[in-house]
Amino acid sequence: MTIGVRALPAALITLSLAACSTGGIDASQTGPFAPGIDRRAEAVSGIEVGHRLIAAGEYELAIKAFNRAALNQGWDAEILSGLGTANLGLGRLNQAERLLLRATTEFDPYPEIWNNLGVVLMEQGRTNEAVQIFRKAFALDDGESTLIRDNLRKAIAKSENPVSVAPNDNQYKLVRRGSSDFLIRTAL
């Protein structure tokens, strides 16, 4: 019986505070239920979902989104590039390299794929190969991307004199075809 007596004041305080609340669902505007699904609306593509997940650092979920996109529309360069980028984010360099190489050989690759392949090669310590890949990306891009140019500059500096490159200057940028870019920093 003493437990019920002790719980009574706490229950009264809780009820009185709940009655003071002005929050809650406003039934006059939207009704008391959660909004439904607009089945006529166009769904966001799996590729876009994958890129958003990469930007959020959710690489495993991004891989699943890109795989779903591949099931829906088939393999293409952007899906392979996204999978490669997600694997790079997880530190799976060999898988990332295979996927990005496949994107460059089976499809008409765009500069961003070549750039991301160069980042993978730099992460693997294959600087001379990365310089060639960055040059190709820079040429395909007509020198318009500052991120690709910066990666090429850093790779050339590291290949010419690996000791003189400052540790803070060892940052290579992944490039996404679209509005976002991704930054991969080398572990020191």
Side-chain angles (χ1 to χ4, degrees), residues 53-110:
L53 288 167
I54 287 174
E58 296 291 338
Y59 303 113
E60 288 288 347
L61 293 174
I63 289 172
K64 291 178 182 181
F66 285 120
N67 283 329
R68 278 191 306 274
L71 287 174
N72 290 336
Q73 66 191 53
W75 293 101
D76 64 9
E78 191 164 9
I79 290 173
L80 288 169
S81 173
L83 285 168
T85 303
N87 277 295
L88 175 60
L90 290 169
R92 300 174 184 162
L93 300 180
N94 291 330
Q95 287 177 315
E97 181 183 5
R98 267 187 286 136
L99 289 162
L100 292 168
L101 278 173
R102 183 175 165 202
T104 61
T105 57
E106 292 182 18
F107 300 98
D108 187 27
Y110 41 89

Side-chain angles (χ1 to χ4, degrees), residues 9-59:
L12 289 174
I13 290 172
T14 303
L15 288 174
S16 65
L17 289 175
C20 295
S21 173
T22 60
I25 298 174
D26 183 10
S28 66
Q29 291 181 358
T30 60
F33 303 106
I37 298 172
D38 184 3
R39 300 206 186 274
R40 292 173 287 163
E42 190 167 325
V44 177
S45 76
I47 294 172
E48 183 62 30
V49 171
H51 285 306
R52 289 177 185 175
L53 288 167
I54 287 174
E58 296 291 338
Y59 303 113

Side-chain angles (χ1 to χ4, degrees), residues 87-146:
N87 277 295
L88 175 60
L90 290 169
R92 300 174 184 162
L93 300 180
N94 291 330
Q95 287 177 315
E97 181 183 5
R98 267 187 286 136
L99 289 162
L100 292 168
L101 278 173
R102 183 175 165 202
T104 61
T105 57
E106 292 182 18
F107 300 98
D108 187 27
Y110 41 89
E112 293 84 359
I113 295 176
W114 289 105
N115 177 78
N116 295 352
L117 179 59
V119 171
V120 170
L121 295 173
M122 288 302 295
E123 290 288 318
Q124 292 175 335
R126 296 161 53 189
T127 308
N128 292 331
E129 291 175 70
V131 168
Q132 298 306 315
I133 297 297
F134 284 135
R135 282 189 175 139
K136 185 166 193 132
F138 187 72
L140 287 171
D141 190 50
D142 293 328
E144 292 181 14
S145 172
T146 58

Side-chain angles (χ1 to χ4, degrees), residues 141-177:
D141 190 50
D142 293 328
E144 292 181 14
S145 172
T146 58
L147 297 174
I148 294 174
R149 183 181 62 234
D150 289 346
N151 286 345
L152 175 60
R153 181 185 52 80
K154 291 173 188 174
I156 289 172
K158 188 170 183 177
S159 70
E160 289 175 352
N161 194 357
V163 179
S164 69
V165 176
N168 292 340
D169 201 27
N170 237 1
Q171 299 174 3
Y172 304 96
K173 295 174 179 64
L174 289 171
V175 182
R176 174 185 159 210
R177 187 174 185 165

